[in-house]
Amino acid sequence: MASTVGEAVARIAYLSSDLILSVQPALGAHSEFSKCLHALASNRTPGIIAKEPEVRAVRHNVDPLLSAFQPLRSGRLVSVTTSSSILLSSIPHLYKLAKYPIVIHVALNPYGYPDYSEITSIRQCGFIFLQSETLREGQDIALSAHALAARSGKGVIHFFDPANSDSNDPISAEDRALVLNVLDINAVRDYQSTSIGDSSLYVDEGRQPTLVENEVTSSASPHNEQLLAKDSPFIKATNGNESSVGSSVRESSVDSRPTISSASSVNPTTTRIVNSEDIYKFLSDIWFQISAATGRIYNTFKYSGPDDADSALFVFGSTGLFVDEILAAKRSDEFAKCGIITATLYRPWLGNSLTEAVPQTVKRIAVLEQIRKKTVKWGPVLLDILTSLRTGLSTSGAPLVVGHQLGYIEPATARQGLRGIFQNLKSASPIQNLEVGNHQQSRDLLSEYSLEQPKVESAYMKILDQVFGERLHIANRLGAANAGISASIAANPEFGFGSLLARMDHRKRFIDEVREAATTRDFVTDTPQSWLSKWALSAEDPKKANSLAQEAIARLSTDGSRLASQLLSSRSLFFKESQWLIGSDAWSYDLGNSGVHHVIASGANVNMLIIDSQPWSERAATDATRRKKDIGLYAMNFGNAYVASVAVYSSYTQVLEAMIEADQFDGPSVVVAYLPYNQENDSPLTVLQETKKAVDLGYWPLYRWNPNDEEKGESSFSLDSERIKQELEEFLRRDNHLTQLMNRHPEFSANLSESYGSEVRTLQKRRAKDAYEKMLDSLYGAPMTVLFASDNGNAESLAKRLGNRGKARGLKTMVFAMDDYPLEDLPGEENVVMITSTAGQGEFPQNGRAFWDTVKENAELDLSQINYTVFALGDSHYWPRKEDKIYYNKPGKDLDSRVAFLGGKRLINIGLGDDQDPDSYQTGYNEWEPRLWQALNVDKVEGLPEELPPITNEDIKIQSNFLRGTIAEGLEDPSTGAIAASDQQLTKFHGTYMQDDRDLRDERKAQGLEPAYAFMIRCRLNGGVATPSQWLQMDAISSSYGNETMKMTTRQTFQFHGVVKSKLKSAMRGINKALMTTIAACGDVNRNVMCSSLPTKSAYHRDVHQISAKISDHLLPATTAYHEIWLKDDNDKQTKVAGDAIVDQEPLYGPTYLPRKFKITIAIPPNNDTDVFAHDIGLIAIKGSNGRLEGFNVLAGGGMGVTHNNKKTYPRTGSMFGYIPADKIHIVCEKIMLVQRDNGDRKNRKHARLKYTIDDMGVDVFRSKVEDLLGYKFEQPRAFEFKSNIDTFGWQKDEFGINHFTFFIENGRIEDTVNFPMKTGLREIAKVHKGEFRLTGNQHLCLSGVHDDDMENIKGMMKQYKLDNVQFSGLRLSSSACVAFPTCGLAMAESERYLPELITKLEDCLEENGLRQDSIVMRMTGCPNGCARPWLAEIAFVGKAYGAYNMYLGGGYHGQRLNKLYRSSIQEEEILEIVKPMLKRYAMERQEGEHFGDWTIRSGYIKPTTEGKTFHDDVAEAESEDEA
């Protein structure tokens, strides 16, 4: 069913096109047609012309018809759905598009009272114009338009008033058989086979729709000539035999005109241009087909009314009200014998058809034109009618024609309006151009596309407000009052520029007035004169002028003279404004004619901010012939403008710098700002990911260009990102700026000289394979090509091992990642082995997705000559629900089936590796590989070489020369951003991990680039305490070397991300300069020692913190490799002995260090804010009778790391060993660590943590070994009580009356955003703070040691930067998340970037159930490694695949009890469906003081986990045991 004409038309357009351009007011706002179109596309509804038509949304203000040219020229049938608002601005395109078979469906605006002048103004552009009036007509005429375009080769505009059919009943959907018949697929396919080739939009290629005409002999009507369009041959269609009842009275009107006959004979042909008679004949045939099938009859002009009418209305406007009134007229009414005429075919105007349509009895015709923008005396339709009726062989009987201007008529006054029309029409002297109705319609009906700033674009506006405050003036601000000027005009650059020029002239005159006033004696006092003189001298200096303005205004206000009052009437002009024009990338089209050109060419001191919203990922779909220009390059070529290219989601700091520099530049400034989005309500995460791709790949380089810098001897160009695009590179080369830039930044050279392009990737694939084949030419065995897709390295390792084993058996083997292999070579291979692991929800790993997509979609790929087999790696229990079993090894199974379908012959059946088997995937693999050798006849080869065992972490450590490896050499290698794999393991001991940006992986791969490698640096910060100077140094490091953010981790330290290899050593030195280090912050050593922040007991905290530092220092590795690699300079020569060998000693660790990581934490009851039960060693501080530290209860064996569905891995809480006095505790920690060093599992890293060692040995045995080393036993544990494991936010006083404030830092991320300049605020506070900063174990921050004297200043700064807000929900305050995407290589799902959004979606439920203030501990991690300690949370979500999480319940609120699996692999919708009712029940059923985790156990949702070994027992969602 179709209930609106827009929907009916959209459906026809979708069926009848290859491409539909959906012109919309905004990407997130629907037009009359777009909702239906996008629904059809998202449901993958098949079309008739195209299997899956493409629907492309285009904003109405970005010259949308430009997108039609390239598809039309390549033989695609294009339709456009739009409002009439774009027509006038598109006139230059319409004249060219009229020569192509394009259909433009136009809903006339404004709704309720449309302006038909937008149609009459373009009537001469060469298009065919069709009009529909009702819902049913809209469907039929839309179909007619598409059929006519295909047959004639000309463009067709179908226009209608959408309000005209509001009262129509819904109609049935279109008849696909009829659409297929009428469209004439043969004609369509002929056009689709043509391609015009490339040509400029500015050049008329001379295309004309022509006909190949057969000379026809016929015995039927004059309409039976058979015509053949050159571009789209007309072939007579058969008539349908279906009929239906029309939806209105007018649709059922009868026409007696003869119809086209099928009787004809064909003779020789001639070619000529399509003319109006041809169009009429095509249209008549189309309407004959529709009539034969449905009974609905259409003519070029439609007449409704009595056959003997004496008068008629010709309406070019909204007809609905008049039709109803005239057809219901009584005999006594003035218009009883009146008919209505409308044009179904408006252009070409067929005058003869009009005279045929009007009954001969009609003597008077009233022409009603609904044209609001009248520019001439006589309306265009009136002139058309007069020409038709008053010309010809005889005009003596022509009716009298009277023109009327039709305004808006309320339904209640329609009869009255008609009466007035007919009174004038029938009068002796009718008034021409009589206005009927209200031409000044109310604003609520003038609903043009409203101009709104998209929500996501508010980011830049907020920055402008922050930087310039009251100085900011936006000349074309949306919503500003501009008398008599429409919003669309007021928002354009020309208007804004003109208003700014006027404003600047006004201020210049005002300055002259002030200077003159300063020399007069017209003031009551002498005071104003001196201040006015000072101000006039500095009027153009923003700082001085605005400072002096306040003083001058104050003096004038107290003077009381007439002159003072006169000056005060223009007081705003005392301030030097920062004047801006704001625009979008719509300004990027046809720059030579836009206001942008005028601003730059003028040299005026005007700033422009132009926001570009085109996503990087959408750029390929953009028509290459669109005239969107690079405004930055355009402005730089003028040479007189400041230009900056910025992206707020890439570098907030650079945006600030650019805006400040633009304001200071005396001349035009252009800041082009990137903010990519598909919908105006896109999430910040989506915008961030798109921005990163564009900046990283050079599509949107960040730079600043200041031509004034050349005068200072400095370079004009500053590059703020690492890659530039080809066009910018060429500009820089022209004036030698590129050479200067490379000299200043040699590390950028490779990137600067490389342009992006997918052809690079194709070339790399070809070269790699050619080199491989050349290397194998000397071998004589059978070929075997091994292709792999691998996420975690297992499939890759198997593939490479298989390749080596194949070589040993005499085979010519090649091994490639699937996406690195040139797929066009696959049909020519002989033996192909494909090995793939399973990613996400049954998806291909990242380096096999492009390969699979091509194999899956290419039905013409012939693989009949290849022999193949597949081995798949998966986990049969990873997706435990029965309905999800299809995901088990799905990529491998799909690939096996698809290759077989394409003709491939199986060497052997697919092999399935299952992580649940005793030897994991190796069990299945060890059965599969021998069968492969047998199939290839190489199973009985003798004398195979012995395989070397794989290199393990233990091998890497022992061969590293005490953690040196080849790190130093790798850092000096400029050819890659990476370091060697073995060094990646070793750098962890130095406090840094190599990572890559996973948001960019796919795009960089597609561009032939290596991953965006960068390093994470983690500091070692004892107890999480830093000085203000250290904070400032960390802030500077993050800005200078990292990604401008700092991460406070769950282990109370700083973490930096995005440090590229070339900056790594500098960053390390910067950290050392702050008297901090990164040694042993990661790796198989004891890591950062944690300590409760305890703001209320400063002396006690000091005692405990000193112990944490003592333990940390005592357990530090002794190697000098850290100093040698990162800190020494050329003058710092390392002492070497025995030749070149450096000999170190590791008295605690030995050369292989520990089996796995080792973590120690201290908690101070009653606060367990460090999760003391979760670590290898947990120390519970015991207070003595004097209120100071006495000793510690010692826990050992805690740990969080788990592997999904591997029940041999589990989290564990620490076991109580006993009490130890404070002065011995560092030795006790050492001995526990040494027992783990000597007894931990060094063969299986998944089983190497202390928790497994203790469970394997037993607590008593392990404890006794520690006691043996100590020489004494643990004492009985002392009493303690924990009441919370979250932070207390806000102000608190300690025992000395000193103040401490705990900030809420969501998930520990310190950054500046548009809404929250947190990083800047903390930096400013650090400059004046006299105490210390304490990082908490929950990723928050305590400003510690604020004296009462400093409170007012600190509070003021906190308020200024919005740092004083702690009024968040209890759930948010108690939440925590790990980093996960995009930098963590282990992440399976989002965490830090997603948890805040999930909490937002739950907060309404919390509010409704009175739980807003209740603390519920919720944690999220992107993988099961447990960095945010999720297994202790009351409710936890652990990433399983992208967008899917395991849900855990029942953790202890005090961090003392593990939770348990409640649901597996659920997505957001399911999470909300589960959690919201659960929260409601909790609110209703909880007992006094009962925490959420305890309640979930009592209420039966989950069973308690009593120890780590029972973590997998009695889960709420049992895994299905069915085989996949």
Side-chain angles (χ1 to χ4, degrees), residues 146-161:
H146 285 277
L148 181 57
R151 299 185 191 203
S152 67
K154 288 177 66 68
V156 180
I157 290 176
H158 165 219
F159 63 95
F160 58 90
D161 172 7

Side-chain angles (χ1 to χ4, degrees), residues 1412-1441:
R1412 178 174 173 77
Q1413 304 304 323
D1414 289 74
S1415 173
I1416 299 174
V1417 178
M1418 177 183 283
R1419 294 176 182 170
M1420 178 177 282
T1421 57
C1423 78
N1425 270 23
C1427 293
R1429 303 187 288 274
W1431 317 115
L1432 293 172
E1434 296 181 281
I1435 179 169
F1437 298 98
V1438 178
K1440 193 82 177 286

Side-chain angles (χ1 to χ4, degrees), residues 69 72-77 95-102 149-155 190-192 194-197 199 203-210 229-232 273-274:
F69 281 95
L72 285 168
R73 286 169 172 168
S74 61
R76 299 181 75 189
L77 284 182
Y95 279 89
K96 297 184 181 71
L97 289 173
K99 300 170 185 178
Y100 293 89
I102 184 174
R151 299 185 191 203
S152 67
K154 288 177 66 68
D190 188 72
Y191 176 77
Q192 289 175 324
T194 65
S195 180
I196 295 172
S199 62
V203 176
D204 186 346
E205 64 273 8
R207 185 181 190 278
Q208 289 290 346
T210 58
K230 185 174 182 181
D231 290 314
S232 48
I273 294 174
V274 173

Side-chain angles (χ1 to χ4, degrees), residues 1088-1118:
N1088 192 53
V1089 178
M1090 298 175 66
C1091 173
S1092 290
S1093 56
L1094 195 66
T1096 57
K1097 300 290 182 183
S1098 290
Y1100 191 22
H1101 176 268
R1102 193 177 307 115
D1103 295 343
V1104 179
H1105 179 259
Q1106 287 173 357
I1107 293 295
S1108 72
K1110 186 175 183 179
I1111 296 170
S1112 180
D1113 293 342
H1114 182 68
L1115 300 181
L1116 271 177

Side-chain angles (χ1 to χ4, degrees), residues 112-113 318 320-322 325 370 406-418 436-445:
Y113 175 40
S318 303
L321 294 175
F322 294 150
E325 290 293 338
Q370 194 166 300
L406 182 59
Y408 176 70
I409 297 179
E410 293 281 354
T413 62
R415 174 172 286 270
Q416 180 182 343
L418 273 174
V436 180
N438 179 13
H439 287 263
Q440 302 298 322
Q441 183 200 359
S442 59
R443 287 188 173 273
D444 59 334
L445 290 170

Side-chain angles (χ1 to χ4, degrees), residues 1177-1199:
I1177 297 177
L1179 304 178
I1180 301 171
I1182 302 300
K1183 189 190 299 185
S1185 56
N1186 62 353
R1188 304 298 288 268
L1189 178 66
E1190 186 175 88
F1192 298 91
N1193 285 345
V1194 180
L1195 300 166

